[in-house]
Amino acid sequence: QSKYYRSSGINAEWPLRPGVVAMNMILNPKTVNKNLFNKRALSHFKFVVAGGGSGGCAAASNLVNHGSTAIIDYADDHYYQPMWTLVGAGLKTTAQSKRDEKSCIPSKSNWIKDKVEGFDPDNNTVLLGNGGKVTYDYLVVALGLDIRFDLIKGLPETLGRNGVCSNYGPGNADYTWKTLSNIKEGKLLFTFPNAPIKCAGAPQKIMYLSEAQLRKAGVRDRCTLAYHTPGPAIFGVPRYAAALSVVAQEKGCDVKLKSNLVEVRGESREAIFENLDTNETSVEEFDMLHVGPPCSPNPTYANSPLADAAGWVDVNRSTLQHNKYQNVFAIGDCNSCPTGKTAAKVAAESGVLYHNIKNVLKGQSLSADYNGYTSCPLTVGDGRLILAEFGYDGSILETLPIDQSKPRRLTYHMKKDIMPGLYWHGLIKGIWRGPSTVRSLLHLGSK
């Protein structure tokens, strides 16, 4: 097991000075200095990883063999979040997406179970929620982003009630399935935010899965489905936008472009949309509303010297090294790389980050380049999936030697049955670093 430092008190698993600790507790049970452990545990590490999600676990797993490594995260549970779309469609359960965080933390690392409160990169220091500090030689920021239901008026008050649901957030997808499975007739709305979002394909994936469920239940002809997006197209990459437009048309799903959800009135089951071309608003009634929430940078890094003007950790898009602080790197949703924020992005970045940190340790130039690779496995119902893979500026980076813009059963089973294991046993263990090698082999080195 990893060394476990609960920074707000004594923990029985603390490995430091057990004899002294035990004697002090016996002689002075009411006056034990709770910071006794922190003086060493919360001091200095060669590597500090801020965040214990997919990026943090992958980075720490790769770094532990190169020096003392601390990973800071307060969560008890770790989730494979891409599964939540399938949970919302009744194809998986939330329990299947969840594991104890302790089992995901690399065994040789030091787990500091606390919140990251801030960063002082000029002094190589991370500030903790309990008032403590950790210093480092090298820092990896992996704090993800914030889901912001609060940015849509009326949404927080009605989420999880009145047919208002979202697959974003632990447990939320359970209500999506509860709502969907009880639909007998009516109007189902699905929305994409006018803001950054985690997994840009998720808001429409659940629409196609819902359409399939309605057909299975024999009520499809009594229901209408509509997808509202503030964008000029159904998807940001033209190749896949064209394919998804065909899917939506075939399934009778109405696609409303330049349409942004600005308010939810849960009690009356009304959604208010703004037309971004005319600035006019309209009201639509619904029986089920699935919201793709706006996302934003976490204030912990957004309000620190590490942030760029938009609030993301300001890194070189190729090397993942901070543009000002050369001993700082960032991985995953929190960094400023202009590409889709997905688990696939984390996998591809983890190899680049590890290679470049090793080069820094050797005093060499950074030679690994991240090409913006990300992936959206777009479930379209009926056990089929469009496997979108792309990089910076929408460049196509498909792995398989087939047209992945066509819905296929093969790619659906990859998403449903293979990718979860690849995540738990590969990505967060620092082993799976994206499909670049596989892609090169399958395309005979041409990609």
Side-chain angles (χ1 to χ4, degrees), residues 257-280:
L257 307 177
K258 298 295 188 73
S259 181
N260 180 42
L261 178 68
V262 294
E263 183 180 353
V264 179
R265 299 169 185 166
E267 296 298 329
S268 58
R269 298 204 176 206
E270 295 176 321
I272 291 78
F273 294 92
E274 178 188 11
N275 184 302
L276 297 185
D277 283 335
T278 65
N279 295 322
E280 295 178 348

mmCIF file of all heavy atoms in Angstrom, residues 257-280:
data_model
loop_
_atom_site.group_PDB
_atom_site.id
_atom_site.type_symbol
_atom_site.label_atom_id
_atom_site.label_comp_id
_atom_site.label_asym_id
_atom_site.label_seq_id
_atom_site.Cartn_x
_atom_site.Cartn_y
_atom_site.Cartn_z
ATOM 1 N N LEU A 257 -28.795 24.324 -34.052
ATOM 2 C CA LEU A 257 -27.497 24.974 -33.948
ATOM 3 C C LEU A 257 -27.646 26.396 -33.413
ATOM 4 O O LEU A 257 -28.715 26.996 -33.475
ATOM 5 C CB LEU A 257 -26.812 24.987 -35.311
ATOM 6 C CG LEU A 257 -26.686 23.629 -36.014
ATOM 7 C CD1 LEU A 257 -26.048 23.804 -37.392
ATOM 8 C CD2 LEU A 257 -25.895 22.646 -35.169
ATOM 9 N N LYS A 258 -26.544 26.923 -32.893
ATOM 10 C CA LYS A 258 -26.497 28.278 -32.321
ATOM 11 C C LYS A 258 -27.559 28.476 -31.249
ATOM 12 O O LYS A 258 -28.094 29.565 -31.075
ATOM 13 C CB LYS A 258 -26.666 29.326 -33.428
ATOM 14 C CG LYS A 258 -25.580 29.315 -34.492
ATOM 15 C CD LYS A 258 -24.238 29.704 -33.902
ATOM 16 C CE LYS A 258 -23.166 29.887 -34.949
ATOM 17 N NZ LYS A 258 -23.342 31.119 -35.726
ATOM 18 N N SER A 259 -27.866 27.414 -30.524
ATOM 19 C CA SER A 259 -28.896 27.443 -29.488
ATOM 20 C C SER A 259 -28.269 27.102 -28.146
ATOM 21 O O SER A 259 -27.751 26.004 -27.949
ATOM 22 C CB SER A 259 -30.006 26.438 -29.828
ATOM 23 O OG SER A 259 -31.027 26.465 -28.856
ATOM 24 N N ASN A 260 -28.331 28.048 -27.209
ATOM 25 C CA ASN A 260 -27.625 27.920 -25.936
ATOM 26 C C ASN A 260 -28.603 27.913 -24.766
ATOM 27 O O ASN A 260 -29.418 28.834 -24.612
ATOM 28 C CB ASN A 260 -26.639 29.083 -25.775
ATOM 29 C CG ASN A 260 -25.864 29.004 -24.474
ATOM 30 O OD1 ASN A 260 -25.422 27.932 -24.076
ATOM 31 N ND2 ASN A 260 -25.691 30.143 -23.809
ATOM 32 N N LEU A 261 -28.534 26.880 -23.918
ATOM 33 C CA LEU A 261 -29.373 26.811 -22.718
ATOM 34 C C LEU A 261 -28.911 27.849 -21.702
ATOM 35 O O LEU A 261 -27.763 27.857 -21.280
ATOM 36 C CB LEU A 261 -29.277 25.411 -22.103
ATOM 37 C CG LEU A 261 -30.056 25.181 -20.809
ATOM 38 C CD1 LEU A 261 -31.566 25.221 -21.061
ATOM 39 C CD2 LEU A 261 -29.658 23.847 -20.165
ATOM 40 N N VAL A 262 -29.837 28.722 -21.283
ATOM 41 C CA VAL A 262 -29.478 29.783 -20.340
ATOM 42 C C VAL A 262 -30.239 29.692 -19.023
ATOM 43 O O VAL A 262 -29.835 30.308 -18.032
ATOM 44 C CB VAL A 262 -29.702 31.185 -20.964
ATOM 45 C CG1 VAL A 262 -28.746 31.408 -22.130
ATOM 46 C CG2 VAL A 262 -31.149 31.376 -21.410
ATOM 47 N N GLU A 263 -31.335 28.923 -19.001
ATOM 48 C CA GLU A 263 -32.117 28.831 -17.768
ATOM 49 C C GLU A 263 -32.957 27.562 -17.788
ATOM 50 O O GLU A 263 -33.402 27.109 -18.847
ATOM 51 C CB GLU A 263 -33.033 30.053 -17.621
ATOM 52 C CG GLU A 263 -33.836 30.073 -16.336
ATOM 53 C CD GLU A 263 -34.738 31.298 -16.201
ATOM 54 O OE1 GLU A 263 -34.642 32.211 -17.044
ATOM 55 O OE2 GLU A 263 -35.551 31.323 -15.247
ATOM 56 N N VAL A 264 -33.165 27.010 -16.595
ATOM 57 C CA VAL A 264 -34.044 25.856 -16.429
ATOM 58 C C VAL A 264 -35.078 26.185 -15.360
ATOM 59 O O VAL A 264 -34.733 26.621 -14.260
ATOM 60 C CB VAL A 264 -33.258 24.596 -16.010
ATOM 61 C CG1 VAL A 264 -34.213 23.410 -15.828
ATOM 62 C CG2 VAL A 264 -32.180 24.254 -17.028
ATOM 63 N N ARG A 265 -36.349 25.987 -15.704
ATOM 64 C CA ARG A 265 -37.441 26.156 -14.749
ATOM 65 C C ARG A 265 -37.998 24.768 -14.449
ATOM 66 O O ARG A 265 -38.851 24.243 -15.163
ATOM 67 C CB ARG A 265 -38.524 27.068 -15.321
ATOM 68 C CG ARG A 265 -38.015 28.476 -15.647
ATOM 69 C CD ARG A 265 -39.026 29.273 -16.447
ATOM 70 N NE ARG A 265 -38.491 30.571 -16.846
ATOM 71 C CZ ARG A 265 -39.059 31.358 -17.769
ATOM 72 N NH1 ARG A 265 -40.179 30.962 -18.388
ATOM 73 N NH2 ARG A 265 -38.513 32.517 -18.078
ATOM 74 N N GLY A 266 -37.465 24.180 -13.397
ATOM 75 C CA GLY A 266 -37.746 22.785 -13.127
ATOM 76 C C GLY A 266 -39.197 22.482 -12.818
ATOM 77 O O GLY A 266 -39.764 21.510 -13.328
ATOM 78 N N GLU A 267 -39.815 23.289 -11.981
ATOM 79 C CA GLU A 267 -41.183 23.004 -11.557
ATOM 80 C C GLU A 267 -42.155 23.000 -12.722
ATOM 81 O O GLU A 267 -43.085 22.187 -12.777
ATOM 82 C CB GLU A 267 -41.624 24.020 -10.493
ATOM 83 C CG GLU A 267 -40.825 23.952 -9.196
ATOM 84 C CD GLU A 267 -40.958 22.603 -8.489
ATOM 85 O OE1 GLU A 267 -42.023 21.970 -8.623
ATOM 86 O OE2 GLU A 267 -39.985 22.187 -7.818
ATOM 87 N N SER A 268 -41.958 23.883 -13.673
ATOM 88 C CA SER A 268 -42.841 23.947 -14.853
ATOM 89 C C SER A 268 -42.280 23.175 -16.035
ATOM 90 O O SER A 268 -42.899 23.135 -17.097
ATOM 91 C CB SER A 268 -43.066 25.409 -15.262
ATOM 92 O OG SER A 268 -41.819 26.048 -15.548
ATOM 93 N N ARG A 269 -41.108 22.555 -15.820
ATOM 94 C CA ARG A 269 -40.442 21.773 -16.875
ATOM 95 C C ARG A 269 -40.305 22.584 -18.158
ATOM 96 O O ARG A 269 -40.732 22.184 -19.238
ATOM 97 C CB ARG A 269 -41.197 20.464 -17.123
ATOM 98 C CG ARG A 269 -41.231 19.566 -15.887
ATOM 99 C CD ARG A 269 -41.437 18.113 -16.213
ATOM 100 N NE ARG A 269 -41.358 17.287 -15.004
ATOM 101 C CZ ARG A 269 -41.017 16.010 -14.986
ATOM 102 N NH1 ARG A 269 -40.716 15.408 -16.120
ATOM 103 N NH2 ARG A 269 -40.966 15.333 -13.863
ATOM 104 N N GLU A 270 -39.607 23.702 -18.021
ATOM 105 C CA GLU A 270 -39.339 24.584 -19.152
ATOM 106 C C GLU A 270 -37.846 24.879 -19.233
ATOM 107 O O GLU A 270 -37.196 25.105 -18.215
ATOM 108 C CB GLU A 270 -40.110 25.903 -19.003
ATOM 109 C CG GLU A 270 -41.616 25.750 -19.066
ATOM 110 C CD GLU A 270 -42.322 27.067 -18.819
ATOM 111 O OE1 GLU A 270 -41.853 27.842 -17.944
ATOM 112 O OE2 GLU A 270 -43.335 27.329 -19.481
ATOM 113 N N ALA A 271 -37.327 24.870 -20.455
ATOM 114 C CA ALA A 271 -35.928 25.231 -20.711
ATOM 115 C C ALA A 271 -35.904 26.477 -21.579
ATOM 116 O O ALA A 271 -36.655 26.572 -22.562
ATOM 117 C CB ALA A 271 -35.204 24.083 -21.410
ATOM 118 N N ILE A 272 -35.063 27.432 -21.207
ATOM 119 C CA ILE A 272 -34.971 28.693 -21.946
ATOM 120 C C ILE A 272 -33.667 28.694 -22.731
ATOM 121 O O ILE A 272 -32.585 28.491 -22.166
ATOM 122 C CB ILE A 272 -35.048 29.912 -21.002
ATOM 123 C CG1 ILE A 272 -36.454 30.035 -20.399
ATOM 124 C CG2 ILE A 272 -34.713 31.185 -21.758
ATOM 125 C CD1 ILE A 272 -36.751 29.106 -19.278
ATOM 126 N N PHE A 273 -33.786 28.926 -24.023
ATOM 127 C CA PHE A 273 -32.631 28.932 -24.923
ATOM 128 C C PHE A 273 -32.451 30.305 -25.548
ATOM 129 O O PHE A 273 -33.417 31.001 -25.854
ATOM 130 C CB PHE A 273 -32.823 27.896 -26.035
ATOM 131 C CG PHE A 273 -32.833 26.476 -25.549
ATOM 132 C CD1 PHE A 273 -34.034 25.850 -25.219
ATOM 133 C CD2 PHE A 273 -31.647 25.767 -25.396
ATOM 134 C CE1 PHE A 273 -34.051 24.544 -24.760
ATOM 135 C CE2 PHE A 273 -31.653 24.460 -24.938
ATOM 136 C CZ PHE A 273 -32.865 23.842 -24.621
ATOM 137 N N GLU A 274 -31.180 30.646 -25.735
ATOM 138 C CA GLU A 274 -30.836 31.880 -26.445
ATOM 139 C C GLU A 274 -30.302 31.528 -27.820
ATOM 140 O O GLU A 274 -29.418 30.684 -27.961
ATOM 141 C CB GLU A 274 -29.775 32.666 -25.680
ATOM 142 C CG GLU A 274 -29.341 33.947 -26.398
ATOM 143 C CD GLU A 274 -28.165 34.619 -25.736
ATOM 144 O OE1 GLU A 274 -27.536 34.008 -24.847
ATOM 145 O OE2 GLU A 274 -27.860 35.769 -26.115
ATOM 146 N N ASN A 275 -30.850 32.171 -28.847
ATOM 147 C CA ASN A 275 -30.319 32.030 -30.195
ATOM 148 C C ASN A 275 -29.107 32.953 -30.320
ATOM 149 O O ASN A 275 -29.237 34.175 -30.195
ATOM 150 C CB ASN A 275 -31.385 32.397 -31.233
ATOM 151 C CG ASN A 275 -30.896 32.175 -32.656
ATOM 152 O OD1 ASN A 275 -29.897 32.738 -33.088
ATOM 153 N ND2 ASN A 275 -31.614 31.338 -33.395
ATOM 154 N N LEU A 276 -27.938 32.382 -30.557
ATOM 155 C CA LEU A 276 -26.713 33.178 -30.541
ATOM 156 C C LEU A 276 -26.562 34.051 -31.775
ATOM 157 O O LEU A 276 -25.687 34.931 -31.804
ATOM 158 C CB LEU A 276 -25.500 32.259 -30.394
ATOM 159 C CG LEU A 276 -25.438 31.463 -29.082
ATOM 160 C CD1 LEU A 276 -24.134 30.687 -28.986
ATOM 161 C CD2 LEU A 276 -25.605 32.376 -27.872
ATOM 162 N N ASP A 277 -27.372 33.848 -32.790
ATOM 163 C CA ASP A 277 -27.350 34.738 -33.957
ATOM 164 C C ASP A 277 -28.217 35.965 -33.735
ATOM 165 O O ASP A 277 -27.856 37.084 -34.105
ATOM 166 C CB ASP A 277 -27.826 33.989 -35.200
ATOM 167 C CG ASP A 277 -26.762 33.072 -35.774
ATOM 168 O OD1 ASP A 277 -25.564 33.348 -35.544
ATOM 169 O OD2 ASP A 277 -27.116 32.082 -36.431
ATOM 170 N N THR A 278 -29.388 35.768 -33.110
ATOM 171 C CA THR A 278 -30.350 36.866 -32.960
ATOM 172 C C THR A 278 -30.426 37.402 -31.532
ATOM 173 O O THR A 278 -31.023 38.468 -31.304
ATOM 174 C CB THR A 278 -31.743 36.394 -33.370
ATOM 175 O OG1 THR A 278 -32.188 35.372 -32.449
ATOM 176 C CG2 THR A 278 -31.723 35.814 -34.790
ATOM 177 N N ASN A 279 -29.846 36.673 -30.572
ATOM 178 C CA ASN A 279 -29.925 36.998 -29.147
ATOM 179 C C ASN A 279 -31.353 36.905 -28.591
ATOM 180 O O ASN A 279 -31.613 37.338 -27.466
ATOM 181 C CB ASN A 279 -29.366 38.398 -28.857
ATOM 182 C CG ASN A 279 -27.877 38.482 -29.153
ATOM 183 O OD1 ASN A 279 -27.137 37.538 -28.907
ATOM 184 N ND2 ASN A 279 -27.449 39.612 -29.706
ATOM 185 N N GLU A 280 -32.259 36.346 -29.356
ATOM 186 C CA GLU A 280 -33.625 36.156 -28.889
ATOM 187 C C GLU A 280 -33.702 34.875 -28.056
ATOM 188 O O GLU A 280 -32.947 33.922 -28.280
ATOM 189 C CB GLU A 280 -34.588 36.062 -30.074
ATOM 190 C CG GLU A 280 -34.671 37.344 -30.885
ATOM 191 C CD GLU A 280 -35.596 37.182 -32.083
ATOM 192 O OE1 GLU A 280 -35.980 36.031 -32.400
ATOM 193 O OE2 GLU A 280 -35.936 38.213 -32.715
#
